[in-house]
Amino acid sequence: MRVSFSVLTSLFAGVLGLILASATPAVESVDFNFDTTEDLYQVCSPSPDSPEHMPATFACRAFIEASMQYHDAVSDRKQMKRLVCYPETATVGDGRRAFLAWAEANSGDKTLMGELPVVGLVRALAAEYPCM
């Protein structure tokens, strides 16, 4: 799931360009809240034919990538145990699919879905890629 800084920067610039280029944005800023796990689930799961599909997909992928980069950076130190142990072959898309499956399975749990989105994401990825 590691992506170089330049790729992530390009992705962010592309999303920003899409948002700024549209005369009437199809997605309102309120649609991109990242206050709860439910918010992240909504951002990560628009239907492919909806106008917000592309910017939401980029926002979702950027959130997952940034969260895992931070996890990897802080857990490289010997004092902090890894929470997620994904294989080198795992992609951001794999992580997104794991999160969506976890969120769908837990959508009725208001406590889990009300947590910070990074907590829900790490719960989902830890379930998919547990550390032994």
Side-chain angles (χ1 to χ4, degrees):
M1 280 197 201
R2 293 179 190 228
V3 175
S4 71
F5 179 73
S6 63
V7 171
L8 191 57
T9 302
S10 297
L11 177 64
F12 178 74
V15 170
L16 186 59
L18 284 172
I19 292 169
L20 295 176
S22 65
T24 55
V27 179
E28 296 181 27
S29 62
V30 72
D31 293 337
F32 281 91
N33 286 336
F34 289 96
D35 297 328
T36 67
T37 297
E38 176 66 32
D39 290 339
L40 181 60
Y41 180 46
Q42 294 304 316
V43 170
C44 291
S45 61
S47 73
D49 60 342
S50 68
E52 65 270 6
H53 176 73
M54 286 305 292
T57 298
F58 286 136
C60 172
R61 292 175 63 88
F63 187 92
I64 293 169
E65 178 66 30
S67 296
M68 287 299 92
Q69 282 183 6
Y70 181 76
H71 171 269
D72 292 347
V74 299
S75 63
D76 277 347
R77 297 180 178 91
K78 298 203 185 298
Q79 298 86 5
M80 185 169 173
K81 177 182 145 190
R82 290 186 65 80
L83 302 172
V84 178
C85 293
Y86 57 84
E88 287 185 25
T89 57
T91 65
V92 176
D94 295 335
R96 179 178 172 269
R97 284 185 289 280
F99 171 72
L100 290 174
W102 178 91
E104 185 175 328
N106 291 286
S107 62
D109 188 325
K110 291 186 184 290
T111 301
L112 288 176
M113 298 307 282
E115 291 179 325
L116 290 172
V118 70
V119 174
L121 175 64
V122 170
R123 284 183 191 278
L125 296 179
E128 182 71 17
Y129 306 112
C131 297
M132 302 296 170

Short mmCIF file of all heavy atoms in Angstrom, two decimals, residues 78-126:
data_model
loop_
_atom_site.label_atom_id
_atom_site.label_comp_id
_atom_site.label_asym_id
_atom_site.label_seq_id
_atom_site.Cartn_x
_atom_site.Cartn_y
_atom_site.Cartn_z
N LYS A 78 10.35 0.62 17.25
CA LYS A 78 10.25 -0.61 18.04
C LYS A 78 9.25 -0.50 19.19
O LYS A 78 8.74 -1.50 19.66
CB LYS A 78 11.62 -0.98 18.57
CG LYS A 78 12.61 -1.26 17.44
CD LYS A 78 13.72 -2.13 17.91
CE LYS A 78 14.77 -2.32 16.86
NZ LYS A 78 14.34 -2.97 15.67
N GLN A 79 8.91 0.70 19.62
CA GLN A 79 8.01 0.85 20.75
C GLN A 79 6.54 0.66 20.39
O GLN A 79 5.72 0.46 21.26
CB GLN A 79 8.16 2.25 21.39
CG GLN A 79 9.52 2.56 21.95
CD GLN A 79 10.48 3.11 20.90
OE1 GLN A 79 10.10 3.37 19.77
NE2 GLN A 79 11.73 3.29 21.27
N MET A 80 6.17 0.75 19.12
CA MET A 80 4.75 0.65 18.76
C MET A 80 4.50 -0.57 17.89
O MET A 80 5.09 -0.73 16.83
CB MET A 80 4.27 1.90 18.04
CG MET A 80 2.80 1.86 17.77
SD MET A 80 2.21 3.45 17.21
CE MET A 80 0.54 3.00 16.79
N LYS A 81 3.59 -1.39 18.36
CA LYS A 81 3.22 -2.60 17.64
C LYS A 81 2.35 -2.25 16.43
O LYS A 81 1.50 -1.36 16.50
CB LYS A 81 2.43 -3.49 18.61
CG LYS A 81 1.90 -4.74 18.03
CD LYS A 81 1.10 -5.49 19.09
CE LYS A 81 -0.05 -6.17 18.41
NZ LYS A 81 -1.01 -6.73 19.30
N ARG A 82 2.56 -2.95 15.33
CA ARG A 82 1.72 -2.76 14.15
C ARG A 82 0.30 -3.22 14.45
O ARG A 82 0.09 -4.21 15.13
CB ARG A 82 2.27 -3.55 12.97
CG ARG A 82 3.58 -3.00 12.43
CD ARG A 82 4.01 -3.71 11.17
NE ARG A 82 3.10 -3.51 10.06
CZ ARG A 82 3.07 -2.42 9.28
NH1 ARG A 82 3.91 -1.44 9.50
NH2 ARG A 82 2.22 -2.32 8.30
N LEU A 83 -0.67 -2.49 13.93
CA LEU A 83 -2.07 -2.85 14.08
C LEU A 83 -2.58 -3.57 12.84
O LEU A 83 -3.52 -4.35 12.91
CB LEU A 83 -2.91 -1.59 14.32
CG LEU A 83 -2.50 -0.76 15.54
CD1 LEU A 83 -3.28 0.54 15.56
CD2 LEU A 83 -2.70 -1.55 16.81
N VAL A 84 -1.97 -3.28 11.70
CA VAL A 84 -2.36 -3.85 10.42
C VAL A 84 -1.11 -4.44 9.77
O VAL A 84 -0.09 -3.76 9.66
CB VAL A 84 -2.96 -2.77 9.48
CG1 VAL A 84 -3.33 -3.36 8.13
CG2 VAL A 84 -4.16 -2.09 10.13
N CYS A 85 -1.19 -5.69 9.35
CA CYS A 85 -0.05 -6.36 8.73
C CYS A 85 -0.42 -6.84 7.32
O CYS A 85 -0.56 -8.03 7.08
CB CYS A 85 0.42 -7.52 9.61
SG CYS A 85 1.10 -6.96 11.19
N TYR A 86 -0.58 -5.90 6.44
CA TYR A 86 -0.96 -6.23 5.07
C TYR A 86 0.26 -6.74 4.31
O TYR A 86 1.39 -6.38 4.60
CB TYR A 86 -1.57 -5.02 4.36
CG TYR A 86 -0.68 -3.80 4.34
CD1 TYR A 86 0.29 -3.65 3.36
CD2 TYR A 86 -0.81 -2.80 5.29
CE1 TYR A 86 1.11 -2.54 3.34
CE2 TYR A 86 -0.01 -1.69 5.28
CZ TYR A 86 0.95 -1.56 4.31
OH TYR A 86 1.76 -0.46 4.29
N PRO A 87 0.05 -7.63 3.33
CA PRO A 87 1.18 -8.14 2.54
C PRO A 87 1.68 -7.06 1.59
O PRO A 87 0.98 -6.10 1.27
CB PRO A 87 0.56 -9.30 1.76
CG PRO A 87 -0.89 -8.98 1.67
CD PRO A 87 -1.23 -8.22 2.93
N GLU A 88 2.91 -7.22 1.14
CA GLU A 88 3.50 -6.25 0.22
C GLU A 88 2.69 -6.12 -1.07
O GLU A 88 2.76 -5.09 -1.74
CB GLU A 88 4.95 -6.62 -0.09
CG GLU A 88 5.89 -6.37 1.05
CD GLU A 88 7.33 -6.64 0.67
OE1 GLU A 88 7.68 -6.56 -0.53
OE2 GLU A 88 8.12 -6.93 1.58
N THR A 89 1.96 -7.15 -1.41
CA THR A 89 1.18 -7.13 -2.66
C THR A 89 -0.16 -6.41 -2.52
O THR A 89 -0.84 -6.19 -3.52
CB THR A 89 0.92 -8.57 -3.13
OG1 THR A 89 0.23 -9.28 -2.09
CG2 THR A 89 2.22 -9.28 -3.48
N ALA A 90 -0.54 -6.04 -1.30
CA ALA A 90 -1.83 -5.37 -1.09
C ALA A 90 -1.80 -3.98 -1.73
O ALA A 90 -0.78 -3.30 -1.74
CB ALA A 90 -2.13 -5.25 0.40
N THR A 91 -2.95 -3.59 -2.27
CA THR A 91 -3.07 -2.28 -2.90
C THR A 91 -4.07 -1.43 -2.12
O THR A 91 -4.79 -1.94 -1.26
CB THR A 91 -3.59 -2.43 -4.34
OG1 THR A 91 -4.92 -2.96 -4.30
CG2 THR A 91 -2.68 -3.33 -5.18
N VAL A 92 -4.11 -0.15 -2.44
CA VAL A 92 -5.10 0.73 -1.82
C VAL A 92 -6.51 0.24 -2.19
O VAL A 92 -7.42 0.27 -1.36
CB VAL A 92 -4.90 2.20 -2.25
CG1 VAL A 92 -5.98 3.09 -1.68
CG2 VAL A 92 -3.52 2.69 -1.81
N GLY A 93 -6.68 -0.25 -3.40
CA GLY A 93 -7.97 -0.80 -3.82
C GLY A 93 -8.37 -2.00 -2.97
O GLY A 93 -9.54 -2.14 -2.61
N ASP A 94 -7.40 -2.85 -2.61
CA ASP A 94 -7.69 -3.97 -1.72
C ASP A 94 -8.15 -3.46 -0.36
O ASP A 94 -9.09 -3.99 0.23
CB ASP A 94 -6.44 -4.85 -1.53
CG ASP A 94 -5.99 -5.55 -2.79
OD1 ASP A 94 -6.82 -5.77 -3.70
OD2 ASP A 94 -4.78 -5.87 -2.87
N GLY A 95 -7.47 -2.43 0.13
CA GLY A 95 -7.85 -1.84 1.40
C GLY A 95 -9.23 -1.23 1.36
O GLY A 95 -10.02 -1.37 2.30
N ARG A 96 -9.55 -0.57 0.25
CA ARG A 96 -10.89 0.02 0.09
C ARG A 96 -11.96 -1.07 0.10
O ARG A 96 -12.98 -0.95 0.78
CB ARG A 96 -10.95 0.82 -1.21
CG ARG A 96 -12.31 1.44 -1.48
CD ARG A 96 -12.29 2.27 -2.79
NE ARG A 96 -13.61 2.70 -3.14
CZ ARG A 96 -14.45 2.02 -3.91
NH1 ARG A 96 -14.09 0.87 -4.44
NH2 ARG A 96 -15.65 2.49 -4.17
N ARG A 97 -11.72 -2.14 -0.63
CA ARG A 97 -12.70 -3.24 -0.66
C ARG A 97 -12.87 -3.87 0.73
O ARG A 97 -13.99 -4.19 1.15
CB ARG A 97 -12.28 -4.29 -1.69
CG ARG A 97 -12.56 -3.83 -3.13
CD ARG A 97 -12.26 -4.92 -4.14
NE ARG A 97 -10.84 -5.18 -4.30
CZ ARG A 97 -10.02 -4.43 -5.04
NH1 ARG A 97 -10.49 -3.39 -5.71
NH2 ARG A 97 -8.74 -4.73 -5.13
N ALA A 98 -11.77 -4.03 1.47
CA ALA A 98 -11.85 -4.59 2.82
C ALA A 98 -12.64 -3.65 3.73
O ALA A 98 -13.48 -4.11 4.52
CB ALA A 98 -10.44 -4.81 3.38
N PHE A 99 -12.39 -2.34 3.62
CA PHE A 99 -13.13 -1.39 4.44
C PHE A 99 -14.61 -1.41 4.09
O PHE A 99 -15.47 -1.42 4.98
CB PHE A 99 -12.57 0.04 4.28
CG PHE A 99 -13.46 1.06 4.94
CD1 PHE A 99 -13.52 1.14 6.33
CD2 PHE A 99 -14.26 1.90 4.18
CE1 PHE A 99 -14.37 2.06 6.95
CE2 PHE A 99 -15.10 2.82 4.79
CZ PHE A 99 -15.16 2.89 6.18
N LEU A 100 -14.94 -1.41 2.80
CA LEU A 100 -16.35 -1.41 2.40
C LEU A 100 -17.07 -2.66 2.89
O LEU A 100 -18.21 -2.57 3.36
CB LEU A 100 -16.47 -1.27 0.88
CG LEU A 100 -16.10 0.09 0.30
CD1 LEU A 100 -16.13 0.05 -1.21
CD2 LEU A 100 -17.01 1.18 0.84
N ALA A 101 -16.43 -3.81 2.81
CA ALA A 101 -17.05 -5.06 3.29
C ALA A 101 -17.27 -4.99 4.80
O ALA A 101 -18.33 -5.36 5.30
CB ALA A 101 -16.18 -6.26 2.92
N TRP A 102 -16.27 -4.50 5.52
CA TRP A 102 -16.38 -4.38 6.98
C TRP A 102 -17.48 -3.39 7.35
O TRP A 102 -18.30 -3.67 8.22
CB TRP A 102 -15.03 -3.95 7.57
CG TRP A 102 -15.06 -3.76 9.05
CD1 TRP A 102 -14.79 -4.70 10.00
CD2 TRP A 102 -15.41 -2.57 9.76
NE1 TRP A 102 -14.94 -4.16 11.24
CE2 TRP A 102 -15.32 -2.85 11.13
CE3 TRP A 102 -15.78 -1.28 9.36
CZ2 TRP A 102 -15.58 -1.91 12.11
CZ3 TRP A 102 -16.05 -0.32 10.34
CH2 TRP A 102 -15.95 -0.64 11.69
N ALA A 103 -17.50 -2.24 6.68
CA ALA A 103 -18.49 -1.20 6.99
C ALA A 103 -19.91 -1.69 6.67
O ALA A 103 -20.84 -1.43 7.44
CB ALA A 103 -18.18 0.09 6.22
N GLU A 104 -20.07 -2.41 5.58
CA GLU A 104 -21.39 -2.95 5.25
C GLU A 104 -21.83 -3.95 6.31
O GLU A 104 -22.98 -3.93 6.76
CB GLU A 104 -21.36 -3.61 3.88
CG GLU A 104 -22.73 -4.09 3.43
CD GLU A 104 -22.72 -4.64 2.02
OE1 GLU A 104 -21.94 -4.16 1.18
OE2 GLU A 104 -23.52 -5.56 1.77
N ALA A 105 -20.92 -4.80 6.75
CA ALA A 105 -21.25 -5.80 7.77
C ALA A 105 -21.56 -5.17 9.12
O ALA A 105 -22.30 -5.74 9.92
CB ALA A 105 -20.09 -6.78 7.92
N ASN A 106 -21.02 -3.97 9.37
CA ASN A 106 -21.22 -3.30 10.65
C ASN A 106 -22.09 -2.06 10.56
O ASN A 106 -22.15 -1.27 11.50
CB ASN A 106 -19.86 -2.93 11.26
CG ASN A 106 -19.10 -4.15 11.69
OD1 ASN A 106 -19.41 -4.76 12.70
ND2 ASN A 106 -18.11 -4.55 10.90
N SER A 107 -22.78 -1.89 9.44
CA SER A 107 -23.55 -0.66 9.22
C SER A 107 -24.65 -0.43 10.25
O SER A 107 -25.05 0.70 10.49
CB SER A 107 -24.14 -0.64 7.81
OG SER A 107 -25.04 -1.71 7.63
N GLY A 108 -25.12 -1.49 10.88
CA GLY A 108 -26.17 -1.34 11.90
C GLY A 108 -25.64 -1.00 13.28
O GLY A 108 -26.42 -0.71 14.19
N ASP A 109 -24.32 -0.99 13.45
CA ASP A 109 -23.72 -0.71 14.75
C ASP A 109 -23.40 0.78 14.85
O ASP A 109 -22.38 1.25 14.33
CB ASP A 109 -22.45 -1.56 14.92
CG ASP A 109 -21.87 -1.47 16.32
OD1 ASP A 109 -21.92 -0.38 16.94
OD2 ASP A 109 -21.33 -2.49 16.79
N LYS A 110 -24.27 1.52 15.51
CA LYS A 110 -24.11 2.97 15.60
C LYS A 110 -22.84 3.37 16.34
O LYS A 110 -22.25 4.40 16.03
CB LYS A 110 -25.33 3.60 16.27
CG LYS A 110 -26.58 3.52 15.42
CD LYS A 110 -27.73 4.29 16.07
CE LYS A 110 -29.01 4.15 15.30
NZ LYS A 110 -29.02 4.81 14.03
N THR A 111 -22.40 2.55 17.27
CA THR A 111 -21.17 2.87 18.00
C THR A 111 -19.96 2.80 17.08
O THR A 111 -19.17 3.74 17.00
CB THR A 111 -20.99 1.93 19.21
OG1 THR A 111 -22.12 2.07 20.07
CG2 THR A 111 -19.72 2.27 19.98
N LEU A 112 -19.81 1.67 16.37
CA LEU A 112 -18.68 1.53 15.45
C LEU A 112 -18.72 2.56 14.33
O LEU A 112 -17.70 3.17 14.00
CB LEU A 112 -18.65 0.13 14.84
CG LEU A 112 -18.25 -1.02 15.77
CD1 LEU A 112 -18.36 -2.35 15.04
CD2 LEU A 112 -16.85 -0.82 16.32
N MET A 113 -19.89 2.75 13.76
CA MET A 113 -20.01 3.68 12.63
C MET A 113 -19.91 5.14 13.06
O MET A 113 -19.68 6.02 12.24
CB MET A 113 -21.30 3.42 11.86
CG MET A 113 -21.37 2.02 11.24
SD MET A 113 -19.95 1.58 10.22
CE MET A 113 -20.34 2.46 8.72
N GLY A 114 -20.04 5.40 14.36
CA GLY A 114 -19.91 6.76 14.89
C GLY A 114 -18.50 7.11 15.32
O GLY A 114 -18.22 8.26 15.66
N GLU A 115 -17.59 6.14 15.28
CA GLU A 115 -16.20 6.40 15.66
C GLU A 115 -15.50 7.25 14.60
O GLU A 115 -15.97 7.40 13.48
CB GLU A 115 -15.44 5.08 15.81
CG GLU A 115 -15.88 4.27 17.00
CD GLU A 115 -15.13 2.96 17.14
OE1 GLU A 115 -14.78 2.34 16.11
OE2 GLU A 115 -14.91 2.56 18.28
N LEU A 116 -14.35 7.78 14.97
CA LEU A 116 -13.53 8.50 14.00
C LEU A 116 -13.27 7.59 12.80
O LEU A 116 -13.07 6.38 12.97
CB LEU A 116 -12.21 8.93 14.62
CG LEU A 116 -12.28 10.02 15.68
CD1 LEU A 116 -10.92 10.20 16.34
CD2 LEU A 116 -12.74 11.33 15.04
N PRO A 117 -13.23 8.14 11.60
CA PRO A 117 -13.06 7.29 10.43
C PRO A 117 -11.76 6.51 10.41
O PRO A 117 -11.73 5.38 9.93
CB PRO A 117 -13.16 8.26 9.25
CG PRO A 117 -12.95 9.61 9.83
CD PRO A 117 -13.38 9.55 11.25
N VAL A 118 -10.70 7.06 10.94
CA VAL A 118 -9.43 6.33 10.95
C VAL A 118 -9.54 5.11 11.87
O VAL A 118 -8.93 4.07 11.59
CB VAL A 118 -8.24 7.25 11.33
CG1 VAL A 118 -8.30 7.67 12.80
CG2 VAL A 118 -6.92 6.60 10.98
N VAL A 119 -10.32 5.20 12.93
CA VAL A 119 -10.51 4.05 13.82
C VAL A 119 -11.27 2.94 13.09
O VAL A 119 -10.88 1.77 13.14
CB VAL A 119 -11.24 4.47 15.12
CG1 VAL A 119 -11.57 3.25 15.98
CG2 VAL A 119 -10.40 5.47 15.91
N GLY A 120 -12.35 3.30 12.40
CA GLY A 120 -13.09 2.31 11.63
C GLY A 120 -12.24 1.69 10.54
O GLY A 120 -12.30 0.47 10.31
N LEU A 121 -11.46 2.52 9.86
CA LEU A 121 -10.59 2.00 8.80
C LEU A 121 -9.58 1.01 9.37
O LEU A 121 -9.39 -0.08 8.82
CB LEU A 121 -9.86 3.15 8.09
CG LEU A 121 -8.82 2.73 7.05
CD1 LEU A 121 -9.48 2.00 5.88
CD2 LEU A 121 -8.04 3.94 6.57
N VAL A 122 -8.93 1.36 10.47
CA VAL A 122 -7.94 0.46 11.06
C VAL A 122 -8.61 -0.82 11.57
O VAL A 122 -8.06 -1.91 11.41
CB VAL A 122 -7.13 1.17 12.16
CG1 VAL A 122 -6.27 0.19 12.94
CG2 VAL A 122 -6.25 2.25 11.54
N ARG A 123 -9.82 -0.71 12.14
CA ARG A 123 -10.54 -1.91 12.55
C ARG A 123 -10.76 -2.85 11.35
O ARG A 123 -10.56 -4.05 11.44
CB ARG A 123 -11.89 -1.56 13.16
CG ARG A 123 -11.86 -1.02 14.55
CD ARG A 123 -13.29 -0.79 15.04
NE ARG A 123 -13.34 -0.05 16.26
CZ ARG A 123 -13.17 -0.55 17.48
NH1 ARG A 123 -12.91 -1.83 17.63
NH2 ARG A 123 -13.26 0.21 18.54
N ALA A 124 -11.20 -2.25 10.24
CA ALA A 124 -11.48 -3.05 9.04
C ALA A 124 -10.22 -3.70 8.50
O ALA A 124 -10.22 -4.89 8.16
CB ALA A 124 -12.12 -2.15 7.98
N LEU A 125 -9.16 -2.93 8.41
CA LEU A 125 -7.92 -3.46 7.84
C LEU A 125 -7.26 -4.46 8.78
O LEU A 125 -6.65 -5.44 8.33
CB LEU A 125 -6.97 -2.32 7.47
CG LEU A 125 -7.50 -1.40 6.37
CD1 LEU A 125 -6.50 -0.29 6.09
CD2 LEU A 125 -7.84 -2.16 5.11
N ALA A 126 -7.38 -4.24 10.09
CA ALA A 126 -6.83 -5.20 11.05
C ALA A 126 -7.59 -6.53 10.99
O ALA A 126 -6.99 -7.60 11.17
CB ALA A 126 -6.87 -4.62 12.46
#
